[in-house]
Each structure stands twice: as C-alpha cells, then as structure tokens.
Amino acid sequence: MLSKKVEKALNGQIRIEAESSQVYLSMASWAEVKGLEGISQFMYKHSDEERMHMLKLIKFVNERGGHATISDLKAPKTDFGTFQKMFQELYDHEIFVSKSINDLVHVTLEEKDYATHNFLQWYVAEQIEEEALARTILDKINLIGNDKGGLYLFDRDVQQITVESAASDTTE
Ligand SMILES: [Fe+2]
Ligand SMILES: [Fe+2]
C-alpha cells in the first residue's frame, strides 16, 4: 500500500513523463516540417518511450492500491529554432527529469517504502542511459559544426544512435 505522500510524488512523476512525451512529440513534428526526417523519427520514438515510462508508473501506482491520476499538461513550445538548440533542450530536459527521479527516490526513503524504492531503480538506470545518449548526440553535433554534408549524415544516422551505442561510446 502506498502512503499518500508517495502516491502524490508518483503522480507528479506521471505528469512529468507525460509532459516529456509531449515535448518530444512537438520536437518530432517541428523536425518533420523542416525536412529533418531522421531527427524527426528519432523524436517520435523518444516520445513513445516517455509514454511507456508514464504507463509503467500508472500501472505500478494502481497495483499498489493507489490511484494514478491523469492531469492536464503544459503545452510544449512549437518552434525550436535550430536542431542544435533542440538537442540541447532535450539534454537539459533529461537532466531535469533525472533530478525529479532523484527527489522521488528520496521521498520513498523518507517514507520507508522499499518496494517503491526498488521499483524506481529502473528509472534511475534509465536516466543514466538517457543522459549519456543526449551527451553523445551533442558531441556529434559539435563535431559537425556548420558542415552541410555533416548534417545530412547526422540526420541519416541519428536514428541508429541508441542507448546501447551511447553506452559503448563512453567506454571507448
Ligand atoms: Fe522518461
Ligand atoms: Fe527521457
């Protein structure tokens, strides 16, 4: 059984995952309109992943005797300027999400809720991977600079940049 405090904190995270999904969906649409096909596909996929993170939390809250509540969301922006700035925003957003997960883990320790603490370890690991992925992409973008051919290749290859390849990059 979840304490009210843990339930409220988990519902807060459900909202953040839902908002993350909306932010990346808006990025996907912006990139698609700009003709950045690969980047757009990457963002659509990322948006789906955030929705999956949200659903996993909803199921957990309800299974543990709580009530996962669906709230209205802050509308994401619709214009991201340049794809470089957009990926910087993605990185900053993932850092924000990691902080939120950490705060949530802290609440479970205060409440001595070790079942939820254990459940959240998946999210802790996921955030490490997502931050690594975003950093890998920013490194690649820095290498390209303003080279048009580089951008073409980046747009083509970004779909292949997965969490796994980012993890192996950092061990090179
Ligand atoms: Fe997430
Ligand atoms: Fe994420």
Side-chain angles (χ1 to χ4, degrees), residues 31 64 79 87 96 108:
R64 298 282 299 155
D79 189 347
F87 277 104
F96 159 76
T108 64

Side-chain angles (χ1 to χ4, degrees), residues 147-167:
D147 179 56
K148 288 263 184 251
L151 168 58
Y152 173 80
L153 292 176
F154 174 78
D155 185 56
R156 196 193 62 183
D157 294 343
V158 71
Q159 292 176 79
Q160 263 60 256
I161 305 176
T162 59
V163 160
E164 291 75 39
S165 67

Side-chain angles (χ1 to χ4, degrees), residues 13 17 20 49-50 53-54 94 97 123 126-127 130:
Q13 190 61 35
E17 299 294 344
S20 301
E49 280 173 20
E50 299 302 345
H53 298 168
M54 176 195 71
E94 290 299 336
V97 173
Y123 286 83
E126 177 69 15
Q127 282 313 119
E130 290 210 15

